[in-house]
Amino acid sequence: MFFSKKKQNEIDMSRLPEHIGVIMDGNGRWAKKRGLPRSAGHSAGADALKKIVTEANKLGIKYITVYAFSTENWKRPKEEVDYLMSLLLDYLRNAEKTLAGEDVVIRAIGSRKELSQEIRDQIVKTEEFTKNNKGIVMNIALNYGGREEITNAAKNICKEVQEGKIKIEDINDKMFSQYLYTENQPDVDLLIRTSGEQRLSNFMLWQVSYAEMWFTHKLWPDFKPADLHRAIIDFQNRGRRFGGV
Ligand code: IPE
Ligand code: IPE
Ligand code: MG
């Protein structure tokens, strides 16, 4: 009895989620509570992110996808969008230093054409710089939208059908996945969203189809490695059936 109870409070290292998705929400409310500008919340959020990625990597998680900027976030005031873009640029630029020795592979997923040339160049550099690392793969969802990803995949498939490279009969869900930004990566097993909101907000619509969802009222800048542990333990205590019995 004692042992089985104890076990439920510890991570079972043999059954880790392979891919964790994180909707990092609540930066604005975190700042507001402190009488600070929203930008201060975003900056604190970037710090929280570094700690969480480091922890996930230490645990041996293989993939983490973090929602940094949605295709809908352009609706925000220009000042806030500019600030978020400059934070992301810094994050990518400093990846070399901040993730030094941590062996993280950094990738950006989302539509690049709306991003500034500076950010696009930096993405290429950072991806190139980290591509041979052996640790966790971190997808930064940047100008990412699940619907955009799926329609973009559909367009590319249509093009290949038109060019005679593939046949309509070849299209199935496995091959369709190969046209998404996450090609060759496993589906999301555990989806975490902070700040108390319980919605997807256009995040990884395809990849979360059988993900376990985990919500917390904590605001993203307050999310600590111990919270990640909690989410993983909860995940391990659920029964996943994938439609079976
Ligand atoms: C999440 O925090 C970060 C981004 C969406 C870029 P928010 O900025 O959405 O914070 P709230 O939801 O307004 O508190
Ligand atoms: C989702 O958060 C996007 C990111 C975390 C980057 P939002 O704050 O933009 O989502 P909604 O508007 O509450 O659905
Ligand atoms: Mg929000």
Side-chain angles (χ1 to χ4, degrees), residues 24-30 38 42 68-69 73 76 80 84 195:
M24 311 182 285
D25 200 10
N27 294 350
R29 279 163 281 174
W30 183 92
R38 292 178 61 84
H42 294 313
F69 193 91
N73 286 147
R76 297 188 178 199
E80 182 170 350
L84 283 165
S195 89

Side-chain angles (χ1 to χ4, degrees), residues 23-25 67-70 73 76 193 197 199 201:
I23 303 178
M24 311 182 285
D25 200 10
Y67 208 5
F69 193 91
S70 75
N73 286 147
R76 297 188 178 199
R193 183 167 187 154
E197 311 298 349
R199 53 178 170 261
S201 302

Side-chain angles (χ1 to χ4, degrees), residues 196-214:
E197 311 298 349
Q198 302 192 354
R199 53 178 170 261
L200 290 175
S201 302
N202 205 11
F203 185 62
M204 307 204 92
L205 300 180
W206 178 283
Q207 297 88 340
V208 299
S209 65
Y210 268 101
E212 294 297 326
M213 312 230 222
W214 194 85

Side-chain angles (χ1 to χ4, degrees), residues 8 190 212 214 229-239:
Q8 292 202 340
L190 168 62
E212 294 297 326
W214 194 85
H229 285 225
R230 252 170 240 133
I232 294 172
I233 291 165
D234 275 358
F235 165 85
Q236 293 180 331
N237 284 314
R238 295 187 190 177

